[in-house]
Amino acid sequence: MRAPYTEQLKLLELQPLDTELAKLNHKKKTLPEVTTLAQTNERAQKLQRLNVQATTHAADMTRELKSIDTDAQQVNDRLELQSKRLHEGKGSARELVALQGEVKRLQLRSAELEEQQMAMMEKIEAAQSTVNKVHAAQQATSKKIEELQERLHTACTSIDADIAALRSRRETLASTIDAALLAEYEAVRERTGGTGVIGLRGPVCPELGYELSPAQWDELIKSDPDEVIFSDEFDYILIHLDNS
């Protein structure tokens, strides 16, 4: 492949812009707020599940208490009625003995249900306390999410402005480069993950820790400046800067 040497040199102006763009995009993706926000959103989801569980548990116990209350009311109504009949002393001796036995059983059942009511109310109080704690945690987490989103938006806005300015410069420069050469540069960058061209005054590129073989270095320095030379490894476009 051939391309004017002056066109190849433009790639060395383009590469640092692409490198800086990659750094800015990486910085945007790895902002501390991104990780913290993701973790906080996970906590919010966990709290929502806990809220459903706690609210459901409290509601179940409230329904159970209502059932106990209904039973207690029925027992107490019956106890009141039968105690009144026993107090009046109407009926045969046998009937009064049976009535007395029923009143005693109703009294025991009433006391038992009262204990159940007290125990259930304590459980409901504890369950409601859990619900309240979860609600408080949800509110605090929601507030933290809002703060993180605002901070992330501010940070991203600043980075996006830098990215937009760099892209504008890149597009302006790229529009002046030979289309085939630019396409080859982009293809190399895609394969290597970012680097498309290397400018060399000697066989070693300190920035990349990359060294040409003696044979390739000899090929580069002796080649026609308008000949596009690719490295043996990674296919970097190589430019001998002493040709400038």
Side-chain angles (χ1 to χ4, degrees):
M1 178 179 181
R2 295 181 63 81
Y5 183 72
T6 53
E7 291 292 295
Q8 296 182 50
L9 289 177
K10 291 179 183 179
L11 295 180
L12 293 176
E13 298 179 50
L14 193 63
Q15 180 68 73
L17 296 180
D18 285 330
T19 299
E20 186 60 25
L21 280 170
K23 289 180 179 178
L24 286 172
N25 282 311
H26 177 72
K27 180 180 179 181
K28 182 178 178 180
K29 292 177 182 178
T30 57
L31 285 168
E33 291 82 0
V34 173
T35 301
T36 306
L37 182 58
Q39 292 172 342
T40 308
N41 279 326
E42 287 181 6
R43 173 166 172 73
Q45 293 173 1
K46 181 180 179 180
L47 286 171
Q48 178 56 30
R49 292 193 294 270
L50 289 175
N51 178 57
V52 171
Q53 292 172 2
T55 302
T56 301
H57 183 53
D60 289 344
M61 287 192 293
T62 299
R63 283 193 296 272
E64 188 172 346
L65 176 60
K66 288 181 179 179
S67 177
I68 295 173
D69 287 343
T70 299
D71 290 346
Q73 185 63 50
Q74 291 175 349
V75 169
N76 289 334
D77 287 347
R78 178 71 177 176
L79 176 60
E80 182 180 359
L81 175 64
Q82 298 300 72
S83 294
K84 183 179 180 181
R85 287 182 58 195
L86 181 61
H87 180 70
E88 291 174 349
K90 296 178 180 180
S92 66
R94 184 176 180 180
E95 290 175 337
L96 290 175
V97 169
L99 190 58
Q100 187 177 31
E102 181 182 0
V103 167
K104 186 174 182 180
R105 288 193 300 273
L106 288 170
Q107 288 173 334
L108 291 173
R109 180 58 177 160
S110 177
E112 180 183 321
L113 289 170
E114 184 176 354
E115 288 181 3
Q116 291 180 13
Q117 286 174 310
M118 295 297 295
M120 189 56 63
M121 283 189 286
E122 289 178 1
K123 291 181 180 179
I124 291 173
E125 183 178 353
Q128 190 57 53
S129 176
T130 299
V131 171
N132 293 340
K133 288 178 181 178
V134 172
H135 282 173
Q138 283 183 302
Q139 291 176 348
T141 301
S142 294
K143 183 178 180 181
K144 185 176 181 180
I145 288 174
E146 290 176 3
E147 292 172 350
L148 285 169
Q149 287 175 332
E150 184 176 349
R151 282 163 49 191
L152 182 60
H153 175 72
T154 299
C156 287
T157 298
S158 176
I159 294 174
D160 286 340
D162 292 339
I163 290 175
L166 272 176
R167 280 179 177 166
S168 177
R169 288 173 55 194
R170 186 195 191 282
E171 290 171 3
T172 298
L173 177 58
S175 66
T176 69
I177 300 175
D178 176 79
L181 178 63
L182 180 62
E184 193 61 44
Y185 164 79
E186 298 287 14
V188 174
R189 286 188 65 242
E190 180 69 23
R191 290 195 298 272
T192 65
T195 301
V197 62
I198 302 175
L200 294 164
R201 295 186 186 279
V204 178
C205 176
E207 293 82 5
L208 295 177
Y210 183 74
E211 183 175 0
L212 299 184
S213 66
Q216 182 146 61
W217 173 244
D218 186 61
E219 175 191 3
L220 180 63
I221 61 178
K222 291 179 180 178
S223 65
D224 182 343
D226 292 341
E227 185 70 27
V228 179
I229 304 297
F230 296 90
S231 64
D232 292 335
E233 292 183 283
F234 308 115
D235 286 335
Y236 297 133
I237 296 172
L238 304 175
I239 300 177
H240 185 209
L241 295 178
D242 282 348
N243 284 330
S244 56

